[in-house]
Amino acid sequence: MPADAVLHVAGARPNFPKAAPVIRALDRHGVRQRLVHTGQHYDDRMSEVFFRQLRLPEPDLNLGVGSGSHASQTAAVMTGLEELMIADRPALTVVYGDVNSALAAALVAAKLGIPVAHVEAGLRSFDRSMPEEINRVVVDHVSDLLFATSPEALAHLETEGIAAEKVHLVGNPMIDTLLANLDRFDVAGIRAALALPERYVVATLHRPGNVDDAADAVDLVKAMHSVADHLPVVLPLHPRGRRHLENAGLLSHRAMRVIEPLGYLEFVSLVRGAAVVVTDSGGVQEETTMLGVPCLTLRPNTERPITITHGTNRLVTRSTLAEAVASTLATGRLAVRATPPLWDGAAGERIARIIAATL
Ligand code: UD1
Ligand code: UDP
């Protein structure tokens, strides 16, 4: 690897729409780049489809780590990357979001004295029962360049004693991807392909706190069925939740449509046309905020409060979900909304400019 090369490490579904605009912008700046896919996600619909649709470059290497416990997955990424970074030392390693692949890459690079840039720094749910919260804190504390997507992140990082000169508020590269693809989202097409009526609900569920416990899954399925009593629900189901939710009877409601995970373009098209979105995804809270689609988040907290203050997001529980869907349907979409600052499609360019200046 050339000494001035930037190494991007990505591996899980939400990494890909964040990395795409950064890689493209660095290309425009003439920066030499390498992309390593850790293999944390490996199904075509969790990985390859994003490379095709978002025109990401083919990874230079796929570590093929696959699934496993937190320790074994993180360790496998660390071992693979350490070898690579020793052999081919990058000038900077860029990691995305809060997934295990980002944690592993940041730790390896920091211990080898290779600077780390964290895209999506400073988000905090203040809930250490989420593996992602642990990853966020650790990655931020070993990073040299911290790219924040929303202003409250700056305050969190300051409170944790991270020097302000390392931190840059740049906007949201996942939203760059959304805005760049607006004219590729085909609401009528996806509605026809799935034979959906004018009004429908889209759901996504994959958080361990929602889907890992068999007893909780029963309550969750009841709550989802009570939504399906109001409107048809389409649920492109993440592989993590499938076993428990299906065992809990998810498929038994006739208005509940469970499908495979969708490609990015199909999924955002589906969301854009939805009357309501029910989710526990981080990225989907942000995308609904930009699209103005009402979002009900099935979580006790969010590391993305800007989607509540500036967006369409509301936190709900299994027991308040059905009522929240009914009241949201009664209210409809709000006509006037404020967009979060710098969610303007130029975050990748801001990040690239800062990286290019520091190399
Ligand atoms: C990971 C991230 C989470 C993120 C989510 C996005 C961590 C700790 N968690 O969670 O923050 O919101 O990705 O989707 O990094 N599986 C497949 N095929 C795949 C990938 C996974 O079947 O291509 C199944 C496996 O059974 C695996 C399970 O999904 O054990 C969980 O995958 P894993 O990557 O460990 O965590 P996610 O729940 O996907
Ligand atoms: N997404 C997708 N297909 C799906 C579900 C989600 O393309 O079936 C996209 C979604 O639009 C967003 C990203 O995947 O860009 C979010 O990833 P995910 O919900 O898996 O992770 P999180 O954001 O919760 O970490």
Side-chain angles (χ1 to χ4, degrees):
M1 189 175 314
D4 58 348
V6 167
L7 174 68
H8 303 269
V9 179
R13 178 166 72 182
N15 290 161
F16 309 128
K18 295 169 194 173
V22 178
I23 292 173
R24 236 188 313 278
L26 281 169
D27 257 343
R28 288 195 298 271
H29 283 261
V31 172
R32 283 190 278 184
Q33 310 182 61
R34 295 286 181 276
L35 171 61
V36 170
H37 191 315
T38 64
Q40 176 173 351
H41 286 173
Y42 42 85
D43 292 343
D44 181 88
R45 285 159 179 261
M46 300 295 288
S47 174
E48 272 290 309
V49 65
F50 294 85
F51 283 76
R52 293 193 297 273
Q53 294 189 344
L54 303 180
R55 299 181 192 112
L56 272 156
E58 188 76 17
D60 295 277
L61 179 69
N62 190 321
L63 297 175
V65 301
S67 304
S69 69
H70 283 275
S72 62
Q73 188 176 61
T74 306
V77 178
M78 289 182 72
T79 310
L81 285 177
E82 187 178 52
E83 202 176 306
L84 175 101
M85 287 190 201
I86 289 172
D88 235 351
R89 197 179 170 86
L92 176 75
T93 297
V94 187
V95 303
Y96 296 85
D98 52 19
V99 300
N100 284 346
S101 296
L103 170 71
L107 284 176
V108 171
K111 289 199 165 182
L112 291 173
I114 297 165
V116 177
H118 184 204
V119 173
E120 203 181 88
L123 296 186
R124 295 291 181 269
S125 64
F126 302 101
D127 176 357
R128 294 269 172 114
S129 72
M130 291 181 75
E132 294 83 359
E133 182 73 356
I134 296 167
N135 294 350
R136 288 179 201 119
V137 171
V138 175
V139 174
D140 283 340
H141 281 257
V142 299
S143 289
D144 303 277
L145 279 176
L146 294 93
F147 295 118
T149 54
S150 58
E152 82 283 357
L154 307 184
H156 299 154
L157 294 169
E158 190 186 354
T159 306
E160 292 177 20
I162 292 175
E165 59 268 22
K166 294 184 184 173
V167 182
H168 304 269
L169 179 64
V170 291
N172 190 330
M174 189 177 240
I175 298 305
D176 288 13
T177 295
L178 181 89
L179 295 175
N181 287 288
L182 273 182
D183 61 4
R184 297 171 81 198
F185 300 133
D186 179 4
V187 176
I190 191 77
R191 200 182 270 148
L194 296 173
L196 289 167
E198 184 74 18
R199 272 156 59 97
Y200 59 89
V201 175
V202 175
T204 78
L205 297 166
H206 70 273
R207 286 287 151 218
N210 278 330
V211 303
D212 277 11
D213 178 83
D216 284 349
V218 172
D219 284 346
L220 179 57
V221 164
K222 274 192 202 132
M224 293 307 297
H225 284 180
S226 57
V227 175
D229 290 339
H230 290 283
L231 272 189
V233 178
V234 193
L235 171 51
L237 189 52
H238 189 289
R240 180 179 199 108
R242 188 166 283 275
R243 190 166 54 91
H244 279 152
L245 295 177
E246 288 189 0
N247 288 345
L250 181 68
L251 306 181
S252 68
H253 195 295
R254 27 190 295 284
M256 187 83 219
R257 181 88 173 274
V258 178
I259 59 176
E260 291 294 311
L262 288 170
Y264 177 80
L265 294 176
E266 293 78 12
F267 179 73
V268 182
S269 302
L270 189 67
V271 164
R272 196 179 193 184
V276 183
V277 170
V278 176
T279 194
D280 56 13
S281 157
V284 175
Q285 294 172 58
E286 297 180 342
E287 289 162 343
T288 47
T289 280
M290 280 311 284
L291 293 169
V293 176
C295 180
L296 301 174
T297 297
L298 262 168
R299 282 181 41 188
N301 50 55
T302 179
E303 63 290 333
R304 294 165 161 87
I306 201 153
T307 60
I308 298 175
T309 54
H310 288 61
T312 57
N313 194 15
R314 264 169 78 190
L315 300 182
V316 295
T317 65
R318 292 188 282 267
S319 51
T320 60
L321 176 64
E323 172 52 35
V325 168
S327 69
T328 305
L329 289 173
T331 315
R333 291 189 187 190
L334 299 175
V336 181
R337 294 169 306 106
T339 305
L342 302 183
W343 287 22
D344 58 0
E349 175 56 30
R350 289 186 194 97
I351 291 169
R353 228 179 272 157
I354 295 164
I355 288 179
T358 58
L359 284 177

